[in-house]
Amino acid sequence: MLFRWWKNRRRRKILAEPFPAAWQAALVRKVGHYHVLSDAERDRLRRAVQIMIAEKTWEGCRGLELTDEMRVTIAALMAILILGFDDFYFDNVETILVYPDEYRVRQESGLGPATIVEDSERLGEAQYRGPVLLAWNDVEEHASFPGYAENLVFHEFAHKLDLLNGAFDGTPNLQSDELAARWARVMNVEWRRLQRAERAHRHTLLDPYGASDPAEFFAVTTECFFDAPHDMREVYPELYELFRDYYRQDPARWPPFIPAS
């Protein structure tokens, strides 16, 4: 109770400060989604940006000098996901690590008695009870030029929403038993559908990477829902309605995207 009072007091103090003009310019210049939001949504987004920039630890990695423009761009994309939620600002994320581009991760895997060590290149990662890692070049491209059902920030922070129930299982915290029942049915049907398409090498609106497991399916569907909503509503109407009810947003009502810069 005391912690919540203190957190709300701190956030009121953050929001009492005017939104910086340079941050507003960054939204207009770098974030394509900002241009399709209503005035009320833009106001909620700016408030979320202020809170998340203040509350998170932001670190540039591998020599990247992290600027306010980078923070604002990333925080704005994070905010898109939570515009329909009340008083939630990715409280399960403390640190955001930003690399200039792809980074390498050393992985160990077992094959019988042998252990294989190999490096893999990644653009992003949402660690369990850890930070979110992002490659800035990919973030910047898809922030400025939305509409291709691809967005690294949407993908990795969808994983953090998924983790609110304690597991990477493709099922975030759901608001009702009715939604949970629909979620189990629709997600299973559409995930299997994507798997069949991937095995047959058929092109799909959803990234075929989502066929790998339910957690990745939730993440790539989130990308599509916010970055290609009109196409998703047409191609996957039941899946679109499910995500509309979960996120409490209807992005298919947005006008078509235009480049931010």
Side-chain angles (χ1 to χ4, degrees), residues 135-251:
W136 170 248
N137 65 333
D138 196 84
V139 171
E140 182 179 32
E141 177 183 357
H142 291 114
S144 297
F145 301 99
Y148 297 92
E150 297 179 21
N151 188 290
L152 181 64
V153 175
F154 293 165
H155 186 104
E156 300 306 336
F157 281 88
H159 282 317
K160 284 297 188 178
L161 292 174
D162 186 5
L163 276 169
L164 287 172
N165 68 0
F168 279 115
D169 60 3
T171 303
N173 289 338
L174 300 170
Q175 300 96 316
S176 68
D177 292 341
E178 182 275 333
L179 183 59
R182 284 172 54 209
W183 190 274
R185 177 180 60 82
V186 175
M187 291 291 278
N188 183 63
V189 167
E190 295 295 352
W191 179 46
R192 300 297 182 186
R193 176 183 173 189
L194 185 62
Q195 286 183 313
R196 291 193 298 271
E198 196 273 337
R199 288 194 296 267
H201 305 289
R202 293 196 304 270
H203 173 75
T204 55
L205 177 64
L206 293 174
D207 187 333
Y209 183 56
S212 57
D213 62 56
E216 296 301 343
F217 183 68
F218 172 58
V220 303
T221 304
T222 293
E223 291 183 78
C224 190
F225 179 73
F226 286 106
D227 206 62
H230 304 91
D231 292 337
M232 182 174 166
R233 184 175 62 178
E234 180 177 346
V235 178
Y236 306 99
E238 196 170 17
L239 189 60
Y240 179 87
E241 291 176 4
L242 184 71
F243 274 61
R244 180 198 62 198
D245 293 345
Y246 166 64
Y247 281 108
R248 306 175 195 176
Q249 298 186 63
D250 191 7

Side-chain angles (χ1 to χ4, degrees), residues 43-119:
D43 182 63
R44 289 200 299 274
L45 180 142
R46 288 190 294 265
R47 291 164 62 87
V49 166
Q50 285 180 278
I51 288 170
M52 292 190 292
I53 286 182
E55 290 188 348
K56 311 305 178 192
T57 298
W58 300 78
E59 297 181 16
C61 302
R62 216 177 64 213
L64 178 67
E65 182 180 348
L66 198 58
T67 65
D68 277 353
E69 183 174 79
M70 294 176 181
R71 293 184 185 91
V72 168
T73 300
I74 294 168
L77 294 173
M78 294 165 59
I80 294 289
L81 300 188
I82 58 173
L83 288 178
F85 299 155
D86 295 327
D87 196 32
F88 175 77
Y89 301 96
F90 285 103
D91 300 328
N92 60 335
V93 177
E94 294 184 0
T95 303
I96 298 165
L97 305 178
V98 186
Y99 288 79
D101 47 31
E102 291 181 333
Y103 59 93
R104 289 182 174 272
V105 175
R106 176 149 294 188
Q107 293 181 304
E108 294 186 3
S109 58
L111 186 61
T115 298
I116 299 174
V117 179
E118 57 185 0
D119 288 342

